[in-house]
Amino acid sequence: MDFPTLLSLIVLLIVVVALVKTAQIVPQRSAYVVERLGRFQSVLDAGFHLLIPFIDKVAYKHTLKEQAIDVPQQACVTKDNIQIHVDGVIYMQVIDPRLASYGIEDYRYAAIQLAQTTLRSVVGKIDLDKSFEERVVINEKVVEVLSEASEPWGIKVLRYEVADIVLPETIRDALEKQMRAERERRAVVAQSEGERESKINVSEGMKQEMINVSEGDMQKQINEAKGRAEEILLIAESTARGIERIATAINQPGGADAVSLRIAEQYVKEFGKLAQESNTLILPAELSDIGGVVAGLTRTLEKTRPGSGSGRG
């Protein structure tokens, strides 16, 4: 290859390199930091840009998207001197590419280290029993410290999440026994409360049953008393109507004779019953005279009639 051809190839290569270094295409949600002769020149946003070859160069490339950075697991000691292992995730975003380039050497590494030291400090102020309950408090405290420290770095810490808390084997066994005992205690308490409620329900049922029975007996007695009163009243009314009819019948023509005959029949009938019950009877002499007895009763009836001899003279 002759010299002119070699020189042409060299020139062509230089032109290609110059074009490559001159033209820069920045992707969406990205930012390039440009230095001119070693000093900061500008920040290139998304789009097409032209640089001065061999003078300008892209020193740093940053993504403006939200980044999830894993925080490795580390040992932390709680307030009650129990060692646990905790890992988490930091969510951050570059908001100032210039500060992210010149404010710190490696903001990702710095954020991880700061999150770990802050986490150890926060966990050291919390008892083991509350370390699981107060994850939100731990997250908020880590974000607060990171946000304050990362402001000169040109990044914004959006949130921090505790991914996992690993306990020692002995502590896990102790907690499982404690939880098992607590569950058994709650089961016993629930069973005793159920039995108490059952006894209360049974006693309330027996009480209500006794009340219902007593009210039923009271109502029964009231109804029976009302029935007896109505019965006595009906008997009395019937007796009164019977007496009135008898009195009316006596005043009719031949009524007195009919009554005398009826009395004689009843007398003979009842006297016969007495004779059937016993073979020996002791009676007054006047009772043996049936006619005299009937005559005496007849005279009594005549005295009670209106206009009888009792009202004479």
Side-chain angles (χ1 to χ4, degrees):
M1 183 179 297
D2 55 359
F3 181 74
T5 304
L6 181 61
L7 183 60
S8 300
L9 291 175
I10 293 173
V11 172
L12 179 62
L13 180 61
I14 293 173
V15 171
V16 171
V17 172
L19 289 175
V20 171
K21 289 184 173 293
T22 300
Q24 289 290 334
I25 299 177
V26 181
Q28 183 68 29
R29 298 291 294 169
S30 298
Y32 290 177
V33 176
V34 177
E35 292 181 352
R36 177 169 294 175
L37 299 177
R39 298 183 61 182
F40 171 77
Q41 174 62 27
S42 63
V43 176
L44 303 182
D45 297 329
F48 179 78
H49 301 274
L50 292 176
L51 304 179
I52 301 175
F54 308 106
I55 297 178
D56 295 340
K57 73 170 185 176
V58 176
Y60 299 96
K61 296 181 179 181
H62 298 287
T63 177
L64 302 182
K65 300 177 184 178
E66 183 176 344
Q67 305 175 53
I69 303 175
D70 182 58
V71 179
Q73 189 179 89
Q74 62 169 338
C76 302
V77 180
T78 61
K79 185 178 180 180
D80 47 358
N81 296 323
I82 303 298
Q83 188 179 51
I84 60 177
H85 291 81
V86 186
D87 61 350
V89 180
I90 302 175
Y91 296 89
M92 61 174 55
Q93 184 179 16
V94 175
I95 58 176
D96 191 333
R98 179 179 180 180
L99 292 178
S101 301
Y102 303 104
I104 194 168
E105 180 65 25
D106 188 348
Y107 65 84
R108 294 181 180 86
Y109 176 77
I112 292 173
Q113 296 302 312
L114 184 58
Q116 288 182 330
T117 55
T118 304
L119 185 62
R120 286 195 294 268
S121 175
V122 174
V123 172
K125 300 177 182 178
I126 301 175
D127 293 329
L128 177 63
D129 295 338
K130 295 183 179 180
S131 60
F132 294 93
E133 302 174 2
E134 299 188 0
R135 286 194 176 192
V136 176
V137 177
I138 296 174
N139 297 338
E140 291 177 353
K141 187 63 178 178
V142 173
V143 170
E144 180 183 350
V145 174
L146 285 175
S147 297
E148 182 178 356
S150 63
E151 186 176 353
W153 304 344
I155 65 173
K156 179 180 181 181
V157 177
L158 303 175
R159 59 189 179 277
Y160 175 84
E161 297 291 340
V162 174
D164 192 16
I165 299 177
V166 181
L167 302 177
E169 189 69 24
T170 56
I171 300 300
R172 284 203 301 268
D173 293 340
L175 289 177
E176 289 178 359
K177 291 179 180 179
Q178 181 181 358
M179 293 174 63
R180 191 181 306 114
E182 180 66 19
R183 286 194 295 268
E184 291 176 355
R185 184 189 68 82
R186 291 180 181 178
V188 172
V189 172
Q191 182 179 0
S192 63
E193 290 181 352
E195 292 177 354
R196 181 175 66 87
E197 291 293 333
S198 176
K199 291 180 180 179
I200 291 175
N201 292 336
V202 171
S203 62
E204 289 290 339
M206 295 176 63
K207 174 184 175 182
Q208 191 62 39
E209 181 182 3
M210 294 177 64
I211 293 174
N212 294 338
V213 170
S214 63
E215 291 180 352
D217 292 339
M218 180 183 68
Q219 191 63 39
K220 178 182 177 182
Q221 293 176 3
I222 293 173
N223 294 337
E224 290 179 351
K226 288 182 179 180
R228 288 194 297 270
E230 293 179 359
E231 180 183 3
I232 293 172
L233 180 60
L234 291 176
I235 292 174
E237 291 178 353
S238 300
T239 303
R241 287 196 296 270
I243 293 174
E244 289 178 358
R245 291 182 179 180
I246 291 173
T248 303
I250 291 174
N251 293 326
Q252 299 295 327
D257 296 335
V259 172
S260 299
L261 179 60
R262 183 63 176 170
I263 292 172
E265 289 177 353
Q266 291 295 326
Y267 184 86
V268 172
K269 182 178 179 181
E270 297 299 326
F271 191 82
K273 289 181 179 180
L274 292 175
Q276 291 177 0
E277 294 177 358
S278 177
N279 293 328
T280 304
L281 296 174
I282 300 175
L283 299 172
E286 61 271 13
L287 292 179
S288 61
D289 186 6
I290 297 175
V293 173
V294 172
L297 291 174
T298 302
R299 286 194 298 272
T300 301
L301 291 173
E302 289 178 351
K303 290 179 180 180
T304 59
R305 292 171 54 190
S308 62
S310 60
R312 295 176 182 177

